[in-house]
Amino acid sequence: MFEIIKAGGWVMWPIILCSIVAMAIIGERFWSLQRRLVVPKGLVPQVWKWVKEDKLDKKRLAALRSHSPLGKILAAALVNRNHDREMMKTSIEEVSNQVVHDLERYLNTLATIAEVSPLLGLLGTVTGIIRMFAGIGEVGLGNPTVLSSGLSEALITTAAGLTIAIPSLVCYRYFRGLVDELILLMEQEALKMLDVLHGEREP
């Protein structure tokens, strides 16, 4: 493996750095964007039970806020539960923007890696070809080692760049779709809670 990296030249090092960052982001997002952590099942009925039994104090609101992204949205609405529906809806929208930002954390970085990695591979291709022609200029066409070293640098960096870019792009698209799905679920749950509190929906 080290010999392949060495043959790829200095461009391999930023490509390897991109791969490490991409793997870290993908692992972290797979863990953080689990549905059970973002939109816990049964949270809305539990909150409604607290409201109905008049047990929704500051301590429970603080626990709800730190419980999950959905909990943070519900807590924002419940803090203003004595106000009208529009005020509660505005509070939900304000906190939702922050929650969406948290759910999309690192995704721009992952998209950047997906775009930059093939360009780094292309840069390696160019430097490999330059090295190959420089070698030809020095020793002529009689030494196949000079040709093979420049050509291997070009091919290795191109392959390495694409190897990082393809899974990064696939994961980025997957996470974007997952975030959109989770946002929709949270909005539905929050509106359900809103309707129940204002008597527009059965608990």
Side-chain angles (χ1 to χ4, degrees):
M1 179 62 74
F2 181 73
E3 290 301 318
I4 294 174
I5 294 171
K6 188 177 177 182
W10 65 269
V11 179
M12 285 296 292
W13 296 109
I15 291 175
I16 290 169
L17 179 61
C18 285
S19 71
I20 293 168
V21 174
M23 284 190 294
I25 291 172
I26 290 167
E28 191 275 339
R29 288 291 86 188
F30 264 120
W31 173 259
S32 298
L33 295 177
Q34 293 179 77
R35 183 177 294 189
R36 65 181 181 84
L37 298 178
V38 179
V39 190
K41 196 174 179 181
L43 184 60
V44 171
Q46 178 63 57
V47 171
W48 169 243
K49 186 179 176 184
W50 289 343
V51 173
K52 193 170 63 172
E53 295 174 357
D54 200 25
K55 292 181 178 179
L56 196 63
D57 52 14
K58 288 183 179 180
K59 187 177 178 181
R60 278 198 168 92
L61 273 173
L64 181 63
R65 196 174 287 115
S66 60
H67 179 269
S68 62
L70 175 60
K72 190 181 288 187
I73 292 172
L74 295 179
L78 292 167
V79 166
N80 297 290
R81 64 187 179 278
N82 295 324
H83 295 278
D84 60 18
R85 193 179 192 278
E86 283 305 311
M87 180 63 183
M88 291 179 71
K89 195 173 179 182
T90 301
S91 301
I92 288 172
E93 288 171 355
E94 288 173 356
V95 176
S96 292
N97 290 333
Q98 182 186 344
V99 169
V100 169
H101 182 266
D102 291 341
L103 293 179
E104 292 178 343
R105 186 183 297 162
Y106 309 129
L107 292 189
N108 282 339
T109 305
L110 189 61
T112 302
I113 290 171
E115 291 177 1
V116 167
S117 296
L119 295 177
L120 287 171
L122 181 60
L123 177 62
T125 302
V126 173
T127 57
I129 292 171
I130 290 170
R131 183 174 154 193
M132 185 173 66
F133 279 110
I136 291 171
E138 287 178 7
V139 300
L141 293 170
N143 190 347
T145 306
V146 174
L147 296 175
S148 63
S149 63
L151 191 59
S152 64
E153 180 179 335
L155 294 175
I156 288 168
T157 52
T158 302
L162 291 173
T163 302
I164 305 307
I166 292 168
S168 295
L169 182 60
V170 169
C171 289
Y172 170 75
R173 295 291 186 190
Y174 169 74
F175 289 137
R176 288 294 309 181
L178 183 58
V179 166
D180 290 342
E181 182 184 338
L182 292 172
I183 290 167
L184 182 62
L185 283 171
M186 287 190 292
E187 285 177 355
Q188 289 173 346
E189 292 294 306
L191 289 174
K192 190 190 298 179
M193 185 77 233
L194 212 61
D195 292 341
V196 168
L197 286 171
H198 285 272
E200 297 175 15
R201 184 196 290 258
E202 289 298 321

